[in-house]
PDB file of all heavy atoms in Angstrom:
ATOM      1  N   VAL A 226       1.813  14.907   2.715  1.00 65.00           N
ATOM      2  CA  VAL A 226       2.080  16.208   2.110  1.00 65.00           C
ATOM      3  C   VAL A 226       2.018  17.259   3.202  1.00 65.00           C
ATOM      4  O   VAL A 226       1.025  17.375   3.903  1.00 65.00           O
ATOM      5  CB  VAL A 226       1.059  16.536   0.996  1.00 65.00           C
ATOM      6  CG1 VAL A 226       1.318  17.905   0.421  1.00 65.00           C
ATOM      7  CG2 VAL A 226       1.092  15.483  -0.093  1.00 65.00           C
ATOM      8  N   ALA A 227       3.108  18.018   3.372  1.00 62.00           N
ATOM      9  CA  ALA A 227       3.157  19.110   4.345  1.00 62.00           C
ATOM     10  C   ALA A 227       3.310  20.413   3.577  1.00 62.00           C
ATOM     11  O   ALA A 227       4.113  20.499   2.653  1.00 62.00           O
ATOM     12  CB  ALA A 227       4.330  18.911   5.294  1.00 62.00           C
ATOM     13  N   THR A 228       2.563  21.440   3.942  1.00 59.00           N
ATOM     14  CA  THR A 228       2.603  22.718   3.243  1.00 59.00           C
ATOM     15  C   THR A 228       3.502  23.698   3.998  1.00 59.00           C
ATOM     16  O   THR A 228       3.417  23.795   5.211  1.00 59.00           O
ATOM     17  CB  THR A 228       1.189  23.315   3.128  1.00 59.00           C
ATOM     18  OG1 THR A 228       0.339  22.339   2.535  1.00 59.00           O
ATOM     19  CG2 THR A 228       1.174  24.556   2.286  1.00 59.00           C
ATOM     20  N   PHE A 229       4.352  24.412   3.246  1.00 58.00           N
ATOM     21  CA  PHE A 229       5.234  25.421   3.823  1.00 58.00           C
ATOM     22  C   PHE A 229       4.757  26.798   3.383  1.00 58.00           C
ATOM     23  O   PHE A 229       4.315  26.982   2.260  1.00 58.00           O
ATOM     24  CB  PHE A 229       6.678  25.198   3.369  1.00 58.00           C
ATOM     25  CG  PHE A 229       7.239  23.901   3.863  1.00 58.00           C
ATOM     26  CD1 PHE A 229       7.254  22.785   3.055  1.00 58.00           C
ATOM     27  CD2 PHE A 229       7.722  23.794   5.150  1.00 58.00           C
ATOM     28  CE1 PHE A 229       7.746  21.585   3.510  1.00 58.00           C
ATOM     29  CE2 PHE A 229       8.218  22.600   5.613  1.00 58.00           C
ATOM     30  CZ  PHE A 229       8.235  21.491   4.799  1.00 58.00           C
ATOM     31  N   ALA A 230       4.858  27.765   4.279  1.00 60.00           N
ATOM     32  CA  ALA A 230       4.377  29.115   3.997  1.00 60.00           C
ATOM     33  C   ALA A 230       5.240  29.802   2.939  1.00 60.00           C
ATOM     34  O   ALA A 230       6.451  29.660   2.922  1.00 60.00           O
ATOM     35  CB  ALA A 230       4.382  29.945   5.277  1.00 60.00           C
ATOM     36  N   ALA A 231       4.601  30.542   2.061  1.00 54.00           N
ATOM     37  CA  ALA A 231       5.311  31.295   1.023  1.00 54.00           C
ATOM     38  C   ALA A 231       5.811  32.606   1.611  1.00 54.00           C
ATOM     39  O   ALA A 231       5.149  33.229   2.428  1.00 54.00           O
ATOM     40  CB  ALA A 231       4.370  31.571  -0.142  1.00 54.00           C
ATOM     41  N   SER A 235       6.917  34.428  -3.233  1.00 57.00           N
ATOM     42  CA  SER A 235       7.533  33.244  -3.830  1.00 57.00           C
ATOM     43  C   SER A 235       6.498  32.127  -3.917  1.00 57.00           C
ATOM     44  O   SER A 235       5.474  32.169  -3.250  1.00 57.00           O
ATOM     45  CB  SER A 235       8.734  32.781  -3.011  1.00 57.00           C
ATOM     46  OG  SER A 235       8.327  32.357  -1.741  1.00 57.00           O
ATOM     47  N   ARG A 236       6.782  31.146  -4.735  1.00 67.00           N
ATOM     48  CA  ARG A 236       5.851  30.036  -4.877  1.00 67.00           C
ATOM     49  C   ARG A 236       5.788  29.209  -3.601  1.00 67.00           C
ATOM     50  O   ARG A 236       6.769  29.079  -2.891  1.00 67.00           O
ATOM     51  CB  ARG A 236       6.301  29.119  -6.000  1.00 67.00           C
ATOM     52  CG  ARG A 236       6.264  29.743  -7.344  1.00 67.00           C
ATOM     53  CD  ARG A 236       6.632  28.716  -8.360  1.00 67.00           C
ATOM     54  NE  ARG A 236       6.959  29.354  -9.614  1.00 67.00           N
ATOM     55  CZ  ARG A 236       7.359  28.717 -10.671  1.00 67.00           C
ATOM     56  NH1 ARG A 236       7.511  27.415 -10.648  1.00 67.00           N
ATOM     57  NH2 ARG A 236       7.643  29.361 -11.772  1.00 67.00           N
ATOM     58  N   SER A 237       4.658  28.644  -3.358  1.00 82.00           N
ATOM     59  CA  SER A 237       4.513  27.761  -2.208  1.00 82.00           C
ATOM     60  C   SER A 237       5.125  26.414  -2.543  1.00 82.00           C
ATOM     61  O   SER A 237       4.995  25.924  -3.654  1.00 82.00           O
ATOM     62  CB  SER A 237       3.044  27.578  -1.852  1.00 82.00           C
ATOM     63  OG  SER A 237       2.489  28.796  -1.431  1.00 82.00           O
ATOM     64  N   MET A 238       5.780  25.836  -1.573  1.00 83.00           N
ATOM     65  CA  MET A 238       6.418  24.540  -1.757  1.00 83.00           C
ATOM     66  C   MET A 238       5.765  23.551  -0.800  1.00 83.00           C
ATOM     67  O   MET A 238       5.323  23.924   0.276  1.00 83.00           O
ATOM     68  CB  MET A 238       7.920  24.627  -1.451  1.00 83.00           C
ATOM     69  CG  MET A 238       8.682  25.626  -2.282  1.00 83.00           C
ATOM     70  SD  MET A 238       8.838  25.147  -3.982  1.00 83.00           S
ATOM     71  CE  MET A 238      10.107  23.916  -3.842  1.00 83.00           C
ATOM     72  N   VAL A 239       5.713  22.304  -1.195  1.00 87.00           N
ATOM     73  CA  VAL A 239       5.214  21.244  -0.334  1.00 87.00           C
ATOM     74  C   VAL A 239       6.266  20.147  -0.262  1.00 87.00           C
ATOM     75  O   VAL A 239       7.012  19.919  -1.209  1.00 87.00           O
ATOM     76  CB  VAL A 239       3.872  20.659  -0.820  1.00 87.00           C
ATOM     77  CG1 VAL A 239       2.759  21.662  -0.682  1.00 87.00           C
ATOM     78  CG2 VAL A 239       3.976  20.158  -2.229  1.00 87.00           C
ATOM     79  N   LYS A 240       6.358  19.508   0.882  1.00 89.00           N
ATOM     80  CA  LYS A 240       7.284  18.393   1.072  1.00 89.00           C
ATOM     81  C   LYS A 240       6.492  17.108   0.892  1.00 89.00           C
ATOM     82  O   LYS A 240       5.552  16.849   1.633  1.00 89.00           O
ATOM     83  CB  LYS A 240       7.917  18.440   2.454  1.00 89.00           C
ATOM     84  CG  LYS A 240       8.910  17.325   2.704  1.00 89.00           C
ATOM     85  CD  LYS A 240       9.530  17.470   4.069  1.00 89.00           C
ATOM     86  CE  LYS A 240      10.575  16.408   4.298  1.00 89.00           C
ATOM     87  NZ  LYS A 240      11.181  16.555   5.629  1.00 89.00           N
ATOM     88  N   CYS A 241       6.868  16.327  -0.115  1.00 91.00           N
ATOM     89  CA  CYS A 241       6.171  15.084  -0.405  1.00 91.00           C
ATOM     90  C   CYS A 241       7.051  13.913  -0.011  1.00 91.00           C
ATOM     91  O   CYS A 241       8.247  13.916  -0.259  1.00 91.00           O
ATOM     92  CB  CYS A 241       5.835  14.988  -1.889  1.00 91.00           C
ATOM     93  SG  CYS A 241       4.719  16.266  -2.446  1.00 91.00           S
ATOM     94  N   GLN A 258      10.989  14.933  -1.116  1.00 90.00           N
ATOM     95  CA  GLN A 258      11.370  15.993  -2.044  1.00 90.00           C
ATOM     96  C   GLN A 258      10.455  17.197  -1.847  1.00 90.00           C
ATOM     97  O   GLN A 258       9.261  17.047  -1.589  1.00 90.00           O
ATOM     98  CB  GLN A 258      11.253  15.483  -3.481  1.00 90.00           C
ATOM     99  CG  GLN A 258      11.787  16.428  -4.502  1.00 90.00           C
ATOM    100  CD  GLN A 258      11.755  15.823  -5.895  1.00 90.00           C
ATOM    101  OE1 GLN A 258      11.435  14.651  -6.063  1.00 90.00           O
ATOM    102  NE2 GLN A 258      12.074  16.607  -6.880  1.00 90.00           N
ATOM    103  N   LEU A 259      11.012  18.400  -1.977  1.00 89.00           N
ATOM    104  CA  LEU A 259      10.226  19.628  -1.983  1.00 89.00           C
ATOM    105  C   LEU A 259       9.811  19.907  -3.420  1.00 89.00           C
ATOM    106  O   LEU A 259      10.654  19.972  -4.306  1.00 89.00           O
ATOM    107  CB  LEU A 259      11.044  20.806  -1.456  1.00 89.00           C
ATOM    108  CG  LEU A 259      11.243  20.858   0.042  1.00 89.00           C
ATOM    109  CD1 LEU A 259      12.221  21.966   0.395  1.00 89.00           C
ATOM    110  CD2 LEU A 259       9.936  21.064   0.758  1.00 89.00           C
ATOM    111  N   VAL A 260       8.516  20.040  -3.657  1.00 88.00           N
ATOM    112  CA  VAL A 260       8.006  20.302  -4.998  1.00 88.00           C
ATOM    113  C   VAL A 260       7.082  21.509  -4.954  1.00 88.00           C
ATOM    114  O   VAL A 260       6.579  21.889  -3.896  1.00 88.00           O
ATOM    115  CB  VAL A 260       7.260  19.077  -5.578  1.00 88.00           C
ATOM    116  CG1 VAL A 260       8.183  17.899  -5.753  1.00 88.00           C
ATOM    117  CG2 VAL A 260       6.100  18.696  -4.722  1.00 88.00           C
ATOM    118  N   ASP A 261       6.870  22.127  -6.116  1.00 87.00           N
ATOM    119  CA  ASP A 261       5.971  23.278  -6.203  1.00 87.00           C
ATOM    120  C   ASP A 261       4.544  22.847  -5.921  1.00 87.00           C
ATOM    121  O   ASP A 261       4.140  21.723  -6.215  1.00 87.00           O
ATOM    122  CB  ASP A 261       6.028  23.895  -7.601  1.00 87.00           C
ATOM    123  CG  ASP A 261       7.335  24.605  -7.858  1.00 87.00           C
ATOM    124  OD1 ASP A 261       7.926  25.113  -6.893  1.00 87.00           O
ATOM    125  OD2 ASP A 261       7.754  24.655  -9.030  1.00 87.00           O
ATOM    126  N   LEU A 262       3.781  23.768  -5.375  1.00 85.00           N
ATOM    127  CA  LEU A 262       2.383  23.523  -5.074  1.00 85.00           C
ATOM    128  C   LEU A 262       1.645  23.215  -6.375  1.00 85.00           C
ATOM    129  O   LEU A 262       1.793  23.921  -7.363  1.00 85.00           O
ATOM    130  CB  LEU A 262       1.765  24.751  -4.398  1.00 85.00           C
ATOM    131  CG  LEU A 262       0.358  24.614  -3.881  1.00 85.00           C
ATOM    132  CD1 LEU A 262       0.306  23.554  -2.782  1.00 85.00           C
ATOM    133  CD2 LEU A 262      -0.133  25.932  -3.323  1.00 85.00           C
ATOM    134  N   GLY A 263       0.902  22.149  -6.396  1.00 86.00           N
ATOM    135  CA  GLY A 263       0.159  21.765  -7.592  1.00 86.00           C
ATOM    136  C   GLY A 263       0.846  20.681  -8.408  1.00 86.00           C
ATOM    137  O   GLY A 263       0.270  20.148  -9.336  1.00 86.00           O
ATOM    138  N   LYS A 264       2.101  20.355  -8.084  1.00 87.00           N
ATOM    139  CA  LYS A 264       2.828  19.326  -8.830  1.00 87.00           C
ATOM    140  C   LYS A 264       3.036  18.060  -8.000  1.00 87.00           C
ATOM    141  O   LYS A 264       3.873  17.233  -8.326  1.00 87.00           O
ATOM    142  CB  LYS A 264       4.173  19.863  -9.294  1.00 87.00           C
ATOM    143  CG  LYS A 264       4.043  20.991 -10.287  1.00 87.00           C
ATOM    144  CD  LYS A 264       5.349  21.366 -10.900  1.00 87.00           C
ATOM    145  CE  LYS A 264       5.151  22.458 -11.925  1.00 87.00           C
ATOM    146  NZ  LYS A 264       6.395  22.777 -12.613  1.00 87.00           N
ATOM    147  N   GLU A 265       2.231  17.903  -6.948  1.00 87.00           N
ATOM    148  CA  GLU A 265       2.367  16.727  -6.090  1.00 87.00           C
ATOM    149  C   GLU A 265       2.012  15.454  -6.852  1.00 87.00           C
ATOM    150  O   GLU A 265       2.661  14.430  -6.687  1.00 87.00           O
ATOM    151  CB  GLU A 265       1.456  16.824  -4.856  1.00 87.00           C
ATOM    152  CG  GLU A 265       1.585  18.084  -4.050  1.00 87.00           C
ATOM    153  CD  GLU A 265       0.637  19.173  -4.490  1.00 87.00           C
ATOM    154  OE1 GLU A 265      -0.251  18.939  -5.340  1.00 87.00           O
ATOM    155  OE2 GLU A 265       0.780  20.295  -3.975  1.00 87.00           O
ATOM    156  N   LYS A 266       0.988  15.538  -7.687  1.00 88.00           N
ATOM    157  CA  LYS A 266       0.545  14.361  -8.435  1.00 88.00           C
ATOM    158  C   LYS A 266       1.652  13.837  -9.338  1.00 88.00           C
ATOM    159  O   LYS A 266       1.846  12.629  -9.441  1.00 88.00           O
ATOM    160  CB  LYS A 266      -0.706  14.693  -9.242  1.00 88.00           C
ATOM    161  CG  LYS A 266      -1.320  13.497  -9.917  1.00 88.00           C
ATOM    162  CD  LYS A 266      -2.708  13.815 -10.404  1.00 88.00           C
ATOM    163  CE  LYS A 266      -3.314  12.669 -11.149  1.00 88.00           C
ATOM    164  NZ  LYS A 266      -3.712  11.572 -10.312  1.00 88.00           N
ATOM    165  N   GLU A 267       2.401  14.735  -9.987  1.00 90.00           N
ATOM    166  CA  GLU A 267       3.514  14.322 -10.839  1.00 90.00           C
ATOM    167  C   GLU A 267       4.585  13.599 -10.028  1.00 90.00           C
ATOM    168  O   GLU A 267       5.159  12.616 -10.484  1.00 90.00           O
ATOM    169  CB  GLU A 267       4.137  15.533 -11.535  1.00 90.00           C
ATOM    170  CG  GLU A 267       3.234  16.193 -12.531  1.00 90.00           C
ATOM    171  CD  GLU A 267       3.824  17.469 -13.092  1.00 90.00           C
ATOM    172  OE1 GLU A 267       5.025  17.691 -12.924  1.00 90.00           O
ATOM    173  OE2 GLU A 267       3.052  18.237 -13.693  1.00 90.00           O
ATOM    174  N   PHE A 268       4.852  14.085  -8.814  1.00 88.00           N
ATOM    175  CA  PHE A 268       5.857  13.437  -7.953  1.00 88.00           C
ATOM    176  C   PHE A 268       5.433  12.017  -7.605  1.00 88.00           C
ATOM    177  O   PHE A 268       6.227  11.086  -7.681  1.00 88.00           O
ATOM    178  CB  PHE A 268       6.076  14.251  -6.670  1.00 88.00           C
ATOM    179  CG  PHE A 268       6.942  13.553  -5.656  1.00 88.00           C
ATOM    180  CD1 PHE A 268       8.313  13.515  -5.827  1.00 88.00           C
ATOM    181  CD2 PHE A 268       6.384  12.943  -4.558  1.00 88.00           C
ATOM    182  CE1 PHE A 268       9.114  12.862  -4.888  1.00 88.00           C
ATOM    183  CE2 PHE A 268       7.170  12.297  -3.613  1.00 88.00           C
ATOM    184  CZ  PHE A 268       8.549  12.261  -3.787  1.00 88.00           C
TER     185      PHE A 268
END
Side-chain angles (χ1 to χ4, degrees):
V226 178
T228 306
F229 296 98
S235 65
R236 295 184 195 178
S237 295
M238 302 290 283
V239 292
K240 181 178 183 180
C241 297
Q258 188 175 354
L259 284 172
V260 296
D261 289 330
L262 187 63
K264 295 189 178 184
E265 307 91 8
K266 187 166 177 73
E267 293 174 15
F268 172 77

